Amino acid sequence: MFQGSSALSLDAKGRMTIPTRHRAVLMTEESGRLTLTRHPDGCLILYPRSTWEQKREQIAALPMSARALQRLMLGSAQDVDIDSAGRILISPELRQVASLHKNVMLLGLGAHFELWDAEQLELRQAADLAQGLPESLDHFSL
């Protein structure tokens, strides 16, 4: 289970270092093989490859009414590998669609990660907090 946030930087080539606390598990359990794709919220999702393979099958099996989501996620998916320096390369296309610049945030969300432009995440979280908690969480206690 991945959790927590990491403030990271992209280098001039669009590479990002995977935090050490996650890298060891990803190298051991996934041989450093990951998949990166678009998320409907405007960020990127980073999946361990085995998790992505399951998710890919679920997305592909969705009905025709989900064609837009299939295009977004399957059509944008790119396999990436952690290099010997612990980095992954994020393609220019994915950096552009997620507005990733130098400062990014990697959020561990259980079985996968979200990758956000740091400023965009701050704006998104402020907007989410301003809306308040959804009704579906009325019976959830923190």
Side-chain angles (χ1 to χ4, degrees):
M1 294 295 282
F2 304 109
Q3 64 182 23
S5 61
S6 299
L8 304 168
S9 297
L10 297 180
D11 70 12
K13 294 181 180 179
R15 295 175 298 196
M16 176 188 81
T17 300
I18 300 295
T20 306
R21 67 178 184 218
H22 302 306
R23 189 180 330 144
V25 172
L26 293 169
M27 291 304 291
T28 301
E29 296 183 13
E30 299 289 332
S31 301
R33 298 172 56 225
L34 309 169
T35 299
L36 195 57
T37 192
R38 293 177 67 180
H39 187 287
D41 286 346
C43 63
L44 298 179
I45 306 176
L46 182 63
Y47 287 101
R49 186 78 47 82
S50 63
T51 304
W52 169 249
E53 289 168 355
Q54 295 170 12
K55 188 63 68 178
R56 180 183 60 205
E57 296 304 318
Q58 292 172 346
I59 296 167
L62 292 171
M64 282 296 285
S65 59
R67 182 63 73 199
L69 181 68
Q70 290 171 327
R71 276 190 208 99
L72 181 83
M73 295 188 74
L74 299 177
S76 299
Q78 296 181 2
D79 293 337
V80 296
D81 295 322
I82 299 174
D83 69 13
S84 60
R87 303 170 301 192
I88 60 168
L89 175 64
I90 303 166
S91 72
E93 297 85 7
L94 288 178
R95 289 194 316 263
Q96 181 180 359
V97 297
S99 300
L100 298 181
H101 302 291
K102 184 165 180 64
N103 299 315
V104 297
M105 291 293 294
L106 183 70
L107 306 176
L109 295 175
H112 66 277
F113 300 92
E114 285 184 357
L115 182 60
W116 287 85
D117 174 78
E119 288 181 24
Q120 293 297 320
L121 177 60
E122 192 173 314
L123 292 171
R124 177 61 184 246
Q125 288 178 327
D128 289 347
L129 289 172
Q131 287 181 345
L133 294 176
E135 194 175 301
S136 61
L137 295 178
D138 283 348
H139 300 290
F140 181 75
S141 176
L142 298 174

